[in-house]
Amino acid sequence: MVNKIFQAEPNSFIQDVDWVLYSVDPVIFTFYRDELCVLLIKRSSPPYKGLWSLPGGRVDKKACANLEQALLAKLKSKTGIENIFFEQLATYGGSDMDPRGWSVATAYLALVHESELDINRLESEEPIRWWRLSEIGGDKPLAFWHEKMIRDAFVRLRDKSLYTDLPVNFMPNTFTYPMLKQAFEKILGTSISRQSFARRMDAAGIFEDTGERETGRNRPSPVYRRIHRGGSYVFPGIIKPK
Amino acid sequence: MVNKIFQAEPNSFIQDVDWVLYSVDPVIFTFYRDELCVLLIKRSSPPYKGLWSLPGGRVDKKACANLEQALLAKLKSKTGIENIFFEQLATYGGSDMDPRGWSVATAYLALVHESELDINRLESEEPIRWWRLSEIGGDKPLAFWHEKMIRDAFVRLRDKSLYTDLPVNFMPNTFTYPMLKQAFEKILGTSISRQSFARRMDAAGIFEDTGERETGRNRPSPVYRRIHRGGSYVFPGIIKPK
DNA sequence: ATAATAGTGTCTTTCAGACATTATGAT
DNA sequence: ATCATAATGTCTGAAAGACACTATTAT
């Protein structure tokens, strides 16, 4: 039980005025039906009841020792996801973000393959679903500052996709270069030549050929796997925007 | 006055358990006596009384509407600085950061020319001074997680100095290429050829020749000025580490 | 055989690093 | 005149973009 004013050490006072409301808010992107999508939950209680929002919220201070644990717990409870790539994006806050008081929220950029989340099998109290990024930001407002967080997350994703392998976190365990290339192209909004792309990926030395081949109508593509899960590769040059 | 449990909107309850302690902590770097330095204040009250710390702290919720205002207010009150470049670095938090309770802190990376801060003229209650970066992280612990924040801030500064003009924020209004080159070199820990450096800066088109010339013992260097204050330039290529 | 897609090789462009040569100002 | 440093020009190397040509699989 927290007292309004208490003394943790001699001469060390804390007052009500020193506390803020705090949330962690993951911006979870995936490619769903070949479109870049973000996961949103419809709020069932005030404030912003009925509006769509990021699957985040308050931290369980007893259960979580730090921010990373708080985020993982939130992902587990709201989406069921346990294995996911994420990185801290930015922290937002002020008097106008939450009508309940001066509040602070840390947004995380998270990337998954859609198979990691079976929305239909998820027993959620609130409606939850993927929204195409193009659907965000029109006349349908989101709760809190979540729309800005999603915009900022996309900018981070797009900028880092020019010089890192960030989009491989959208791939399943094994994948082909055409699949990965398409992810880069959708994120960057440009087309990339097949040859340049393969050369860039081969030179990175971060993928290994599984020996398998795609099955399809045409010449099959080799199936690759990441050599090291986790971590991030920085390419020596950037993709040049046209 | 904040109640322990109150109802801001129907069915919207907030409990003590939802609050955290919150601080903003600027990592202020400068070149002082040709060395990269960070500004620290000696704490005069618990916790961590007597340890050196970043010039940050709790947010005055009444006076500050958002995080940026909170940071600017903190910079003004602790250091007197009003004009400074800064960007948000990262947010840290957990149960072990502050003995007074579960707390969250947002660190900012801030860069200034040393002339912006006259420490001697500053009437501060606590001792305040520049510390060489090489002095941080030995047997002298810092308060809270400030040592990690400083490390992370330096990594951000070093990484971004490879492909942006971030170090120009260390310069006074007018400066020479040799001055700026030295800043890049100290940050990156490498030497840069004078010719490559000048070509890179000229091509960026972000500086203008003031027409003035340095006075010194040798052939004088042109004195430049940033064309646009604020903003950040991203070079087309990166400085190649040797 | 044809269509569709993948792989290989080569040329061009961009930009950083290195170095030689020339220029300028203080002493 | 000498020294220290700045400016200019040229060559090299790394890596991306573009394109022609060849290879492979399904139909």
Side-chain angles (χ1 to χ4, degrees):
Chain A
M1 190 62 180
V2 176
N3 301 310
K4 278 181 201 161
I5 298 178
F6 82 105
Q7 193 170 352
E9 300 187 22
N11 306 318
S12 162
F13 294 97
I14 302 184
Q15 300 169 27
D16 274 358
V17 79
D18 288 324
W19 264 278
V20 302
L21 292 163
Y22 184 68
S23 300
V24 291
D25 291 319
V27 180
I28 309 174
F29 287 134
T30 204
F31 276 95
Y32 182 67
R33 297 180 189 165
D34 285 341
E35 281 290 322
L36 188 56
C37 292
V38 61
L39 191 66
L40 298 181
I41 291 186
K42 194 173 196 170
R43 288 181 61 84
S44 61
S45 55
Y48 300 115
K49 179 173 178 175
L51 295 195
W52 291 84
S53 69
L54 294 172
R58 305 268 177 255
V59 170
D60 180 347
K61 294 189 284 185
K62 283 212 181 67
C64 303
N66 55 48
L67 297 190
E68 199 159 303
Q69 283 181 23
L71 182 78
L72 288 169
K74 197 57 71 177
L75 287 167
K76 180 75 164 54
S77 68
K78 294 256 179 178
T79 72
I81 297 173
E82 298 205 54
N83 273 312
I84 188 169
F85 167 88
F86 67 90
E87 63 176 44
Q88 195 182 289
L89 176 64
T91 297
Y92 306 78
S95 53
D96 298 335
M97 196 167 71
D98 187 320
R100 292 165 292 185
W102 222 98
S103 58
V104 173
T106 300
Y108 283 79
L109 169 65
L111 313 180
V112 276
H113 186 257
E114 58 168 299
S115 67
E116 290 292 315
L117 176 66
D118 190 340
I119 290 177
N120 300 326
R121 223 180 290 164
L122 189 66
E123 57 221 15
S124 171
E125 300 150 23
E126 293 124 339
I128 179 170
R129 78 169 179 89
W130 293 113
W131 287 81
R132 286 195 299 279
L133 218 53
S134 55
E135 295 175 292
I136 308 294
D139 52 349
K140 172 181 49 63
L142 301 187
F144 307 106
W145 294 357
H146 291 184
E147 190 175 318
K148 173 159 179 55
M149 291 177 183
I150 293 169
R151 271 206 311 275
D152 290 351
F154 175 68
V155 169
R156 166 82 66 94
L157 172 64
R158 176 158 49 72
D159 288 352
K160 286 191 79 166
S161 294
L162 286 173
Y163 61 94
T164 73
D165 67 343
L166 205 51
V168 302
N169 297 293
F170 284 123
M171 296 292 112
N173 273 336
T174 63
F175 55 90
T176 65
Y177 279 178
M179 288 165 62
L180 181 56
K181 182 166 98 79
Q182 194 190 16
F184 272 93
E185 288 174 331
K186 293 262 184 181
I187 293 163
L188 296 173
T190 65
S191 63
I192 304 170
S193 96
R194 185 168 40 83
Q195 297 90 334
S196 295
F197 186 82
R199 193 206 306 144
R200 186 175 167 91
M201 296 304 139
D202 289 344
I206 53 179
F207 306 124
E208 59 184 5
D209 193 331
T210 62
E212 292 172 59
R213 291 293 174 272
E214 195 186 27
T215 67
R217 297 167 312 174
N218 311 109
R219 176 171 177 171
S221 192
V223 176
Y224 292 91
R225 173 196 302 126
R226 300 174 71 173
I227 295 174
H228 304 289
R229 302 280 312 178
S232 165
Y233 180 79
V234 178
F235 294 103
I238 68 163
I239 297 173
K240 298 185 187 176
K242 266 165 278 189
Chain B
M1 191 60 181
V2 176
N3 301 310
K4 277 180 199 163
I5 298 178
F6 81 104
Q7 193 168 354
E9 299 186 23
N11 305 317
S12 162
F13 293 98
I14 302 183
Q15 300 170 26
D16 274 357
V17 81
D18 287 324
W19 264 277
V20 303
L21 293 163
Y22 184 68
S23 300
V24 290
D25 291 318
V27 180
I28 309 174
F29 287 134
T30 203
F31 277 95
Y32 182 68
R33 297 179 189 166
D34 285 342
E35 282 290 321
L36 187 57
C37 293
V38 60
L39 190 66
L40 298 181
I41 290 185
K42 194 173 197 171
R43 289 181 62 82
S44 61
S45 55
Y48 301 114
K49 179 174 179 175
L51 296 196
W52 291 83
S53 69
L54 294 172
R58 305 269 176 254
V59 170
D60 180 347
K61 294 189 284 185
K62 283 209 181 69
C64 303
N66 56 47
L67 297 191
E68 200 159 303
Q69 283 181 22
L71 182 78
L72 288 170
K74 196 58 70 176
L75 287 167
K76 181 75 164 58
S77 68
K78 294 256 180 176
T79 73
I81 298 173
E82 299 204 53
N83 274 313
I84 187 168
F85 167 88
F86 66 91
E87 64 177 44
Q88 196 181 290
L89 176 64
T91 298
Y92 305 78
S95 53
D96 298 336
M97 197 166 71
D98 187 320
R100 292 165 292 185
W102 222 99
S103 57
V104 173
T106 300
Y108 284 78
L109 169 65
L111 313 181
V112 277
H113 186 257
E114 58 168 299
S115 67
E116 290 292 315
L117 177 66
D118 190 340
I119 290 177
N120 301 326
R121 223 180 289 165
L122 188 68
E123 57 222 16
S124 172
E125 299 151 23
E126 293 123 340
I128 180 170
R129 78 169 180 90
W130 294 113
W131 288 81
R132 286 195 299 279
L133 217 54
S134 54
E135 295 175 292
I136 308 294
D139 51 350
K140 171 180 51 65
L142 300 188
F144 307 107
W145 293 357
H146 290 184
E147 190 175 320
K148 174 161 178 52
M149 292 177 184
I150 293 169
R151 272 204 311 275
D152 290 352
F154 175 68
V155 168
R156 166 81 65 94
L157 172 64
R158 176 157 48 73
D159 288 353
K160 287 191 80 166
S161 294
L162 286 173
Y163 61 95
T164 73
D165 67 342
L166 206 51
V168 302
N169 296 293
F170 285 122
M171 296 294 110
N173 274 335
T174 62
F175 54 91
T176 64
Y177 279 177
M179 288 167 62
L180 181 56
K181 182 166 97 80
Q182 194 190 17
F184 273 93
E185 288 175 331
K186 292 262 184 182
I187 294 164
L188 296 174
T190 64
S191 63
I192 304 170
S193 95
R194 188 168 36 83
Q195 297 90 333
S196 295
F197 186 82
R199 194 205 304 144
R200 186 176 168 90
M201 297 304 138
D202 289 344
I206 53 179
F207 306 123
E208 60 183 5
D209 193 330
T210 62
E212 293 172 57
R213 292 294 175 272
E214 195 186 26
T215 68
R217 295 168 312 173
N218 311 110
R219 177 172 177 173
S221 192
V223 176
Y224 292 91
R225 172 196 304 126
R226 301 174 71 174
I227 295 174
H228 304 289
R229 301 280 314 179
S232 165
Y233 180 81
V234 178
F235 294 102
I238 68 164
I239 296 173
K240 297 185 187 175
K242 266 165 277 190

